[in-house]
Amino acid sequence: MAVTFHIPGALREFTGGRSTVEIEQSPLVLADALSALWQLYPGIRARMATEQGEVREHINVFIGDENMRYTGGLASAISDGCEISIVPAVSGGGEFSGWQENEFTHRH
């Protein structure tokens, strides 16, 4: 059974626009699954991993609903049929001032 990766929009240029990628091998740990993904789509590796092979801080990888940072990192066990989601961190924005908040709530 395959392992399915969910690819975010920012990385789809490296997968030919595909939002999901299936890895036919049955890797036992996340590092092996990522290696298989990176062999198929090498452009993703540079965006996801450091030169030392660690997942970059601004990239979250979920095995099912669990963040790999809390399940053993790259040594996290995976099973046949699991779904792995690559989720870039989102940051930015600003705070509403009182005027902006009132203006927004009165208009909408």
Side-chain angles (χ1 to χ4, degrees), residues 7 19 21-22 28-29 38 45-47 50 56-57 61-63 65-66 76 81 83 89 95-96 100:
I7 309 296
S19 61
V21 172
E22 287 190 4
L28 299 177
V29 295
W38 296 339
R45 187 185 191 286
R47 280 27 176 223
T50 65
R56 295 183 185 276
E57 283 186 32
V61 178
F62 289 85
I63 303 166
D65 293 334
E66 301 292 325
S76 298
E83 297 192 6
E95 294 182 25
F96 280 120
Q100 289 172 322

Side-chain angles (χ1 to χ4, degrees), residues 43-83:
I44 293 177
R45 187 185 191 286
R47 280 27 176 223
M48 283 189 67
T50 65
E51 291 177 4
Q52 295 77 30
E54 295 295 320
V55 174
R56 295 183 185 276
E57 283 186 32
H58 67 276
I59 301 289
N60 294 298
V61 178
F62 289 85
I63 303 166
D65 293 334
E66 301 292 325
N67 190 320
M68 52 103 29
R69 298 190 197 286
Y70 307 113
T71 61
L74 292 172
S76 298
I78 58 174
S79 58
D80 283 344
C82 79
E83 297 192 6

Side-chain angles (χ1 to χ4, degrees), residues 33-44:
L34 286 171
S35 290
L37 175 70
W38 296 339
Q39 282 183 324
L40 290 172
Y41 303 102
I44 293 177

